[in-house]
Every structure is written in C-alpha cells, then in structure tokens.
Amino acid sequence: MSTAAERLTDGLYGLGWGAVRKLPEPVAAGLGRRIADTAWKRRGKGVLRLEANLARVVPDASPERLAALSQAGMRSYMRYWMESFRLPSWSEEKVRASFDPKDIHHLTDALAAGRGAVIALPHLANWDLAGVWVTRALGVPFTTVAERLKPESLYDRFVAYRESLGMEVLPHAGASAFGTLARRLRAGGLVCLVADRDLSSSGVEVGFFGETARMPAGPAMLAQQTGALLLPVTLWYDAGSVMQGRVHPPVEVPASGARAEKTAVMTQALADAFAEGIAEHPQDWHMLQRLWLADLDPARGAR
C-alpha cells in the first residue's frame, strides 16, 4: 500500500470513529446496511473471498442461497464496524443489555478459583463487544494481541480504541507477547485471542469443514504451560439488537503425548468448536481472507 493510500485509509477510519458515534443509532445501522449492500453489489475481492469461504461452510447451498448468505455476511460485518465505532460512547447499562452469553459459568468459575483462562474465538459477530461486556459487566480486565497494521497510525488507533475499552493490547510479536500472556495467566488473569486464522509461521494444521486449514498454536500452548483453562467462545447476532454468545466446555490438555501432539489435539478441538458455531450462524463469520491451505498454497492443496 502506498503512503497516500495508507493516509487515506487512516483518515477514513478516523472519520468513522469520530462521526459514526455521533449518529443516532437507527441512522448508523441504516448507513451500515447501505455500505454493506453497495460493497456486496460491487463484487470486490473481499466479497468474492467471503462467498468462497461460505461455500465450504454450506457446501450444498444453491447459488441463490450463497449470494443471500454473502449479502447477509457483509451486513453483519458492517454491523460489527458500526457498533465498534460507537462502543466507546456506550454506557455500562447499554453494554450489559447488548450481549447475552450462555454458559458463562465456565469462565466465572475458573476466575473465581484463581485459575487463569484463555478465551479463543473465531471472527464471529462482534468480539470487541464481547470483550467490553467482560470488562464492564463482569468487571474483569483481560489481555489480548493485535495484528500490526499499516499505516502505523492506524495500528495506534486500534490499540488506543481497545485500551479505552479496558483491554491490555500487545503487538502480535511472537515470543515477547507470549511471555507476557503467560505471566498474566499464571497470575490468574484472563487472555482473549481471536484464533481462527494463523498469523505466524508456527500454526497447527487442522481439519476444518472437510479441508485442511492452519490455526494458531498459541491458545493451546498457553493453556499447557500455565495450567489455565482453554475456553472456546462463539458469537452470533439474533434478529434484534442483542448479540448472543456461548462459552463452550473447556478444552482439556491430553494426559499423554509430546507437547506438539497435545497442541495439535487441543487446536483441533478449538477448530471443531469454531466450526459448530460457524455452521449454525454462517452469515456472522467475517472471514474475508484466504484461510484453507488449498487457497493459500494451491499446489499443495491439489496434492
């Protein structure tokens, strides 16, 4: 991306954070739907990739059904952005009323026992809203990581935004971030990681909707090394204004096997939990990037 394009991108995000939060909620929601429908009709790379990904999730979908899913997916994606732009101005009461997680006891019991917990989520619905709910409704701070974006000023915006919501944000920087996360967990803290797309060279290959994908090893490794509980979480939007969520049962550390073998088993369990939530609510999976190895490395996928 050129410097001019980076400045434009940063400026547009800045406009979103500054202007959208001032709009009445119905106006912001309507604006998000119009932007989503315009992007969907233009059939750009992101929309085509989303549709290709959804074709794996719903393999028996007709072309008409797939088109409807991708349009709903873009609307869900823009709902995420419109909510996120407005989150810093939401009251505690609105945050509490906007998210209804099921089986939250898996998390609260672990924290009450002084045991750290790793929450692992896919790119479903609004993970930022879920995080704000944890900090405000439960009163529990947590640590997460953020992918470095270009321009650097845009990355700084994201870090400042999430820190304003009560999150500790670390750059996605390998061993340094891992060590800090491990210290937080050993102290009984909470770590939240979006974990359905690998951003490193050390990902774990998993079966995902009948094909091979690569997902990060970090959540499973952190649970093994610190004794923290590993909890998959899936999210979805209902027909109204409330986001729904589910804390899945803990992923246990296998009793035997080498570290790499345990990590592979646990990461596959995460992938299975993610797949369950995505299959139930495919329109809320915001995966507009390549994920499966057949797309990332076509020659290997063919083999």
Side-chain angles (χ1 to χ4, degrees), residues 174-288:
S176 175
F178 188 92
T180 302
L181 296 174
R183 287 194 294 274
R184 300 292 183 267
L185 292 169
R186 291 191 181 102
L190 176 63
V191 165
C192 298
L193 302 170
V194 181
D196 57 344
R197 186 166 70 96
D198 180 51
L199 296 175
S200 71
S201 59
S202 58
V204 177
E205 292 188 5
V206 295
F208 196 56
F209 290 103
E211 294 188 43
T212 302
R214 188 181 292 116
M215 294 187 181
M221 293 177 63
L222 284 166
Q224 289 180 66
Q225 293 193 20
T226 67
L229 212 59
L230 178 55
L231 298 170
V233 171
T234 52
L235 309 170
W236 66 95
Y237 288 125
D238 64 12
S241 60
V242 179
M243 184 176 74
Q244 304 293 324
R246 179 189 173 199
V247 183
H248 295 250
V251 173
E252 301 293 340
V253 178
S256 61
R259 179 180 297 177
E261 293 170 332
K262 293 179 179 179
T263 299
V265 170
M266 295 172 73
T267 306
Q268 182 63 62
L270 283 181
D272 293 342
F274 294 167
E276 179 183 341
I278 292 166
E280 291 176 352
H281 308 281
Q283 70 279 2
D284 290 322
W285 190 39
H286 306 156
M287 185 54 66
L288 280 69

Side-chain angles (χ1 to χ4, degrees), residues 6-34:
E6 289 178 355
R7 285 200 300 267
L8 176 60
T9 299
D10 183 45
L12 290 173
Y13 277 101
L15 179 63
W17 268 300
V20 171
R21 74 173 64 180
K22 298 177 183 177
L23 296 174
E25 189 164 323
V27 175
L31 176 62
R33 286 192 297 271
R34 289 194 295 274

Side-chain angles (χ1 to χ4, degrees), residues 35-285:
I35 293 173
D37 288 348
T38 299
W40 179 76
K41 289 175 183 176
R42 289 179 176 174
R43 310 289 291 167
K45 289 182 180 180
V47 173
L48 294 177
R49 174 48 50 195
L50 174 63
E51 210 159 275
N53 290 339
L54 289 172
R56 262 109 165 193
V57 175
V58 191
D60 58 347
S62 66
E64 295 76 16
R65 167 65 172 153
L66 201 57
L69 270 179
S70 67
Q71 183 178 25
M74 290 304 295
R75 288 185 172 187
S76 176
Y77 184 49
M78 285 311 303
R79 176 174 171 176
Y80 159 79
W81 279 110
M82 290 297 157
E83 287 179 347
S84 296
F85 287 144
R86 297 167 61 82
L87 267 177
S89 63
W90 282 14
S91 66
E92 181 175 325
E93 290 74 21
K94 177 156 180 68
V95 170
R96 287 177 177 271
S98 297
F99 182 40
D100 182 21
K102 310 297 189 294
D103 298 326
I104 194 68
H105 67 89
H106 288 307
L107 172 60
T108 54
D109 289 352
L111 296 175
R115 184 177 183 181
V118 181
I119 286 180
L121 312 91
H123 286 79
L124 273 170
N126 192 337
W127 47 96
D128 283 333
L129 172 55
V132 176
W133 188 91
V134 167
T135 62
R136 295 188 183 176
L138 296 184
V140 177
F142 66 88
T143 305
T144 187
V145 298
E147 178 183 2
R148 282 208 171 272
L149 303 171
K150 289 187 177 182
E152 191 73 16
S153 56
L154 179 57
Y155 171 78
D156 292 339
R157 283 187 189 274
F158 270 97
V159 171
Y161 155 68
R162 290 192 166 112
E163 288 180 342
S164 76
L165 300 175
M167 312 174 193
E168 179 188 21
V169 182
L170 307 175
H172 190 276
S176 175
F178 188 92
T180 302
L181 296 174
R183 287 194 294 274
R184 300 292 183 267
L185 292 169
R186 291 191 181 102
L190 176 63
V191 165
C192 298
L193 302 170
V194 181
D196 57 344
R197 186 166 70 96
D198 180 51
L199 296 175
S200 71
S201 59
S202 58
V204 177
E205 292 188 5
V206 295
F208 196 56
F209 290 103
E211 294 188 43
T212 302
R214 188 181 292 116
M215 294 187 181
M221 293 177 63
L222 284 166
Q224 289 180 66
Q225 293 193 20
T226 67
L229 212 59
L230 178 55
L231 298 170
V233 171
T234 52
L235 309 170
W236 66 95
Y237 288 125
D238 64 12
S241 60
V242 179
M243 184 176 74
Q244 304 293 324
R246 179 189 173 199
V247 183
H248 295 250
V251 173
E252 301 293 340
V253 178
S256 61
R259 179 180 297 177
E261 293 170 332
K262 293 179 179 179
T263 299
V265 170
M266 295 172 73
T267 306
Q268 182 63 62
L270 283 181
D272 293 342
F274 294 167
E276 179 183 341
I278 292 166
E280 291 176 352
H281 308 281
Q283 70 279 2
D284 290 322
W285 190 39

